[in-house]
Amino acid sequence: MKIRMKDIAKMANVSEAAVSLVLNDKPSRISEKKKNEIKAIAKELNYMPNIAAQSLAKNASQTIGVVIPDIENPFFSKLCKQLEEQFRARGYLTIIVNSNDDFAVEKNLIQMLLNRGVDGLIIALSNESFAYKKEQEQFLKMIDRPFVLVDRQVAFAGVNQVYFDSLAGGRLSTEYLLENGHRDIAFLTGDLELPGTLERIKGYKQALDSYGIAIKEDYIIETGYRFANGIEKAKELFRLKPITAVITSNDMVAFGVLKQAVTNGYTIPNDLSIIGYDRLEIADLLGISLATVEQNSSELTEEAVSLLTKMLTKEAEQTTKQILTPTLFKGESVKKIK
Amino acid sequence: MKIRMKDIAKMANVSEAAVSLVLNDKPSRISEKKKNEIKAIAKELNYMPNIAAQSLAKNASQTIGVVIPDIENPFFSKLCKQLEEQFRARGYLTIIVNSNDDFAVEKNLIQMLLNRGVDGLIIALSNESFAYKKEQEQFLKMIDRPFVLVDRQVAFAGVNQVYFDSLAGGRLSTEYLLENGHRDIAFLTGDLELPGTLERIKGYKQALDSYGIAIKEDYIIETGYRFANGIEKAKELFRLKPITAVITSNDMVAFGVLKQAVTNGYTIPNDLSIIGYDRLEIADLLGISLATVEQNSSELTEEAVSLLTKMLTKEAEQTTKQILTPTLFKGESVKKIK
């Protein structure tokens, strides 16, 4: 049974207004004794104020919706946790929804969050939405509350975004391999529909160019983001190419390549150098020192939370695009050759 | 800008009622030509029906709230993903909230979900709530919508629960170590406030008893659930005890012990046998074949979703407690000794 103010009023033999004044610590002419009695009853009954009613009164529900594509991916689950903590510190509750990388689900979920009156949104778009670019843009521009896109960038203007510089990320890892003597470098890219993927490929090509190395288009293989994708594409790769190094779309895929490499009898990094993306903690934990492009997720969440909060309090009027710089963690999965 | 029915009505030069009839495919005397025009406008404007309004009409919001203690723990993020997929298949949208193992936050979040009109809840309780047992029970009994507790069991009756048999889990791993000749078996337990932890300890003691081995209370060490907890307690353990094997509260803690064991110059399983709990996929992925008690999370989520759905459709009237049986994955982290 949910306890309401009127239940407490009845038990304390006072008006509901009196209970409200006391429980909200408002000044009143109610005696200290009665005040204590009311508070004791509220405590005894485990009374909890109705947040919806409070937010109606304040005209703010104090809730943020977080839309992410894959809750099981450690990069995103960490992001959720950080967002929840940072919004809580600013007095907001966080609702998380998982689009499962499905655009139709994503639209439904966002619509539901809007209907339920969230104050604002943090959105990491589904991969699938990038296959429907016009609809994606239309949909986002229809959202009538403040929102910030994180991690997966869009190419059009007019929306707030915080993301990492993918071109720099692609260049960093390629350059590091080049410095270590590698010339046959495969790239298991992410989804080719994503602007971020295209940027990373651009970075990869720029780096090769700067070393005067011809780009082999068959070294660039579109891959997903999961462990199984890494295994699958590694099989393909090892059959066909005389490569000495691989760059992957993320660490999960790098782990898949690693696993398949071991299955094929390769030792890492002696037979194959690998560079991932994300710097997932689990790699460190398990003693696998994977070279990887690190995107500091706290930096991302802090910027996004700060930006959205400003929008909610009307401090930020113009749309902004914040591009963060990734760094390279060198690990031990790259071997110097020649 | 959010497109409403009246905007479409205006553009098509018809009444709002006519638009509603056409977009909901209701019979009407509107010409096919006009129908097509209305649909084309709705499509062009990317019109989306207001779900809140629809759910008011249907008197069901079709939303489930999922409350979990630690979104970053892979066991729970997997659980969320499975719940989302299964509820979606049954026509429900899922909202996830992360209590961060904090009871006050958990209460706030559940209250918010109730205020926002979720149809039902799946709750994996925060550890902290078990330190306030009376309040925890009161709070849960105040929830005026169907809910199912998963994973973390409570000792009181009157609530629906689906969880794994912890006594069996504790016994399974201890017996396996005993069969392999181990006699000095430490147990890095979870939180001693949790009924599940007490059950696991009971299973551990039962197994030792059945082998006629005296229980050493200083081998039972209360530990948390995170990687860092494993490292910390392993340091303590390795300093003091002549143990040959360790059972841990979960795999993350086992990874911590593993890491610390390697730091101390031990090789696994030669110098130390380890058994975890959960069978996280990442262990397999990374080629660490950790012996662990497996709790099939699909089994858990299927039972919970099925039970909650029945409650929502009034098919289940009585409260039920479903106890699932864990199994042992033997891995390669246990050595036969003597």
Side-chain angles (χ1 to χ4, degrees):
Chain A
M1 188 191 67
K2 172 132 176 59
I3 301 304
R4 287 163 210 284
M5 263 192 201
K6 62 179 174 195
D7 304 316
I8 299 167
K10 217 169 173 178
M11 289 182 69
N13 203 18
V14 296
S15 71
E16 211 176 317
V19 174
S20 172
L21 287 171
V22 171
L23 296 184
N24 289 305
D25 286 320
K26 294 274 165 68
S28 72
R29 290 203 277 174
I30 299 157
S31 73
E32 278 308 307
K33 197 183 152 207
K34 202 73 194 172
K35 276 186 190 167
N36 290 337
E37 188 189 330
I38 291 168
K39 285 185 181 173
I41 291 169
K43 199 173 170 190
E44 177 61 28
L45 295 179
N46 199 25
Y47 169 76
M48 243 151 299
N50 184 310
I51 296 171
Q54 286 188 335
S55 74
L56 277 175
K58 283 194 226 159
N59 197 21
S61 66
Q62 301 281 87
T63 313
I64 304 298
V66 172
V67 185
I68 51 152
D70 182 6
I71 190 76
E72 215 184 344
N73 179 324
F75 177 77
F76 289 114
S77 60
K78 187 176 180 187
L79 209 71
C80 285
K81 185 171 187 136
Q82 290 175 339
L83 288 170
E84 192 274 327
E85 286 174 346
Q86 289 174 31
F87 278 120
R88 183 150 40 83
R90 290 165 187 245
Y92 293 94
L93 293 175
T94 302
I95 285 175
I96 302 158
V97 294
N98 182 40
S99 70
N100 218 18
D101 263 327
D102 179 316
F103 187 34
V105 172
E106 183 172 50
K107 285 188 291 185
N108 260 330
L109 289 169
I110 292 176
Q111 192 63 59
M112 173 197 63
L113 292 173
L114 295 173
N115 291 343
R116 307 254 159 153
V118 294
D119 297 281
L121 293 159
I122 300 281
I123 304 171
L125 286 163
S126 66
N127 285 332
E128 206 202 21
S129 71
F130 289 90
Y132 302 90
K133 286 212 175 58
K134 203 183 152 204
E135 212 186 331
Q136 182 203 55
E137 181 171 351
Q138 278 181 341
F139 181 77
L140 290 174
K141 294 200 165 160
M142 195 206 66
I143 297 175
D144 57 2
R145 243 147 292 167
F147 69 93
V148 175
L149 296 186
V150 293
D151 187 51
R152 292 176 179 177
Q153 71 196 85
V154 296
F156 54 85
V159 293
N160 287 283
Q161 304 196 62
V162 184
Y163 58 86
F164 285 93
D165 185 342
S166 297
L167 191 146
R171 208 175 43 213
L172 263 177
S173 43
T174 314
E175 278 170 356
Y176 183 59
L177 289 168
L178 290 163
E179 285 161 18
N180 279 282
H182 295 272
R183 294 298 176 262
D184 288 294
I185 303 169
F187 187 3
L188 302 186
T189 74
D191 191 330
L192 292 179
E193 300 273 4
L194 299 186
T197 304
L198 302 179
E199 289 289 303
R200 280 197 211 167
I201 294 174
K202 206 189 271 178
Y204 163 84
K205 289 183 173 176
Q206 278 184 5
L208 290 172
D209 263 348
S210 73
Y211 270 70
I213 294 166
I215 286 142
K216 295 182 182 143
E217 289 294 339
D218 60 342
Y219 278 10
I220 303 173
I221 300 172
E222 185 170 9
T223 309
Y225 299 89
R226 298 180 190 215
F227 181 76
N229 301 134
I231 291 197
E232 182 201 334
K233 295 296 177 180
K235 279 183 192 162
E236 200 174 296
L237 194 70
F238 298 161
R239 256 200 313 270
L240 300 171
K241 314 287 178 336
I243 53 136
T244 61
V246 188
I247 296 170
T248 63
S249 57
N250 68 13
D251 285 356
M252 290 309 285
V253 170
F255 297 149
V257 173
L258 209 91
K259 179 94 175 177
Q260 188 57 40
V262 171
T263 305
N264 282 26
Y266 301 148
T267 61
I268 310 295
N270 285 333
D271 300 318
L272 183 72
S273 292
I274 305 179
I275 302 188
Y277 216 98
D278 283 349
R279 194 167 180 197
L280 295 183
E281 274 166 25
I282 49 166
D284 280 6
L285 304 189
L286 302 179
I288 293 167
S289 187
L290 179 71
T292 185
V293 176
E294 184 168 10
Q295 304 191 110
N296 184 341
S297 65
S298 329
E299 202 182 334
L300 184 74
T301 51
E302 273 163 29
E303 292 291 346
V305 170
S306 153
L307 180 56
L308 188 61
T309 315
K310 277 184 197 147
M311 290 160 75
L312 291 169
T313 54
K314 316 277 189 237
E315 284 172 50
E317 291 290 345
Q318 288 185 308
T319 55
T320 55
K321 189 159 86 174
Q322 288 191 47
I323 307 175
L324 311 174
T325 309
T327 54
L328 184 72
F329 173 74
K330 296 185 175 173
E332 291 163 1
S333 64
V334 172
K335 187 193 166 192
K336 201 167 182 71
I337 60 172
K338 277 177 198 171
Chain B
M1 189 192 66
K2 171 134 177 57
I3 301 302
R4 287 163 210 283
M5 264 193 201
K6 63 180 175 194
D7 303 318
I8 299 167
K10 216 168 173 181
M11 289 181 70
N13 203 17
V14 296
S15 70
E16 211 176 317
V19 174
S20 172
L21 287 171
V22 171
L23 295 185
N24 288 304
D25 286 321
K26 295 273 167 65
S28 71
R29 290 203 278 173
I30 300 158
S31 73
E32 278 308 307
K33 196 183 155 208
K34 201 73 194 173
K35 276 187 192 169
N36 290 337
E37 189 190 330
I38 291 168
K39 285 185 180 173
I41 292 170
K43 197 174 171 191
E44 177 61 29
L45 295 180
N46 198 24
Y47 169 74
M48 244 151 301
N50 184 311
I51 296 170
Q54 287 187 335
S55 74
L56 276 175
K58 283 194 227 160
N59 196 21
S61 67
Q62 302 281 90
T63 314
I64 304 297
V66 172
V67 184
I68 49 152
D70 182 6
I71 191 76
E72 216 185 342
N73 179 324
F75 177 77
F76 289 114
S77 61
K78 187 176 180 187
L79 208 72
C80 285
K81 185 170 188 138
Q82 291 175 340
L83 288 170
E84 192 275 327
E85 285 174 347
Q86 290 174 30
F87 279 119
R88 182 149 43 81
R90 290 165 187 246
Y92 293 93
L93 293 175
T94 302
I95 286 176
I96 301 158
V97 293
N98 182 41
S99 70
N100 218 17
D101 262 326
D102 179 316
F103 187 35
V105 172
E106 184 172 51
K107 286 188 291 186
N108 260 332
L109 289 168
I110 291 175
Q111 191 63 60
M112 172 196 66
L113 292 172
L114 295 173
N115 291 343
R116 307 252 160 156
V118 293
D119 297 282
L121 294 160
I122 300 281
I123 304 171
L125 287 163
S126 65
N127 285 331
E128 205 202 21
S129 71
F130 290 89
Y132 302 89
K133 287 212 174 59
K134 203 183 150 206
E135 212 185 330
Q136 181 202 57
E137 182 173 351
Q138 279 181 340
F139 181 78
L140 290 174
K141 293 198 166 161
M142 196 206 66
I143 297 175
D144 57 1
R145 243 149 291 168
F147 69 93
V148 175
L149 296 186
V150 293
D151 186 52
R152 292 176 180 178
Q153 72 197 85
V154 295
F156 53 86
V159 294
N160 287 283
Q161 304 196 63
V162 184
Y163 58 86
F164 285 94
D165 186 343
S166 297
L167 192 144
R171 208 174 44 213
L172 263 176
S173 43
T174 314
E175 278 170 356
Y176 184 58
L177 289 169
L178 290 163
E179 285 161 18
N180 279 282
H182 295 271
R183 295 298 176 260
D184 288 293
I185 303 168
F187 187 3
L188 303 185
T189 74
D191 191 330
L192 292 180
E193 300 273 4
L194 299 186
T197 304
L198 301 179
E199 289 289 302
R200 281 197 211 166
I201 294 174
K202 208 189 270 179
Y204 163 84
K205 288 183 173 176
Q206 278 185 5
L208 290 173
D209 263 349
S210 73
Y211 270 70
I213 294 167
I215 287 142
K216 295 183 183 140
E217 290 294 339
D218 61 341
Y219 278 12
I220 304 173
I221 299 173
E222 186 171 9
T223 310
Y225 298 88
R226 297 180 190 215
F227 181 76
N229 301 134
I231 292 196
E232 181 200 334
K233 294 296 177 180
K235 279 182 193 164
E236 201 174 296
L237 195 69
F238 298 160
R239 257 201 311 270
L240 299 170
K241 315 286 180 331
I243 54 136
T244 62
V246 187
I247 296 170
T248 63
S249 56
N250 68 13
D251 285 356
M252 290 308 286
V253 170
F255 297 150
V257 172
L258 208 93
K259 180 94 174 178
Q260 187 57 39
V262 171
T263 305
N264 282 26
Y266 301 149
T267 62
I268 309 296
N270 285 332
D271 299 318
L272 183 72
S273 292
I274 305 180
I275 302 189
Y277 216 99
D278 284 348
R279 194 166 180 196
L280 296 183
E281 273 165 26
I282 49 166
D284 280 6
L285 304 190
L286 301 179
I288 293 167
S289 188
L290 179 71
T292 185
V293 176
E294 184 168 9
Q295 306 191 110
N296 184 339
S297 66
S298 330
E299 203 183 333
L300 183 75
T301 51
E302 274 162 29
E303 292 292 345
V305 169
S306 153
L307 179 56
L308 188 62
T309 316
K310 277 184 198 148
M311 290 160 75
L312 291 169
T313 54
K314 317 275 189 239
E315 284 171 52
E317 291 290 344
Q318 288 184 307
T319 55
T320 55
K321 190 158 88 172
Q322 288 191 47
I323 307 176
L324 311 173
T325 309
T327 54
L328 185 72
F329 173 73
K330 295 187 176 172
E332 291 163 3
S333 64
V334 171
K335 186 193 167 194
K336 202 169 182 67
I337 60 171
K338 277 177 200 173

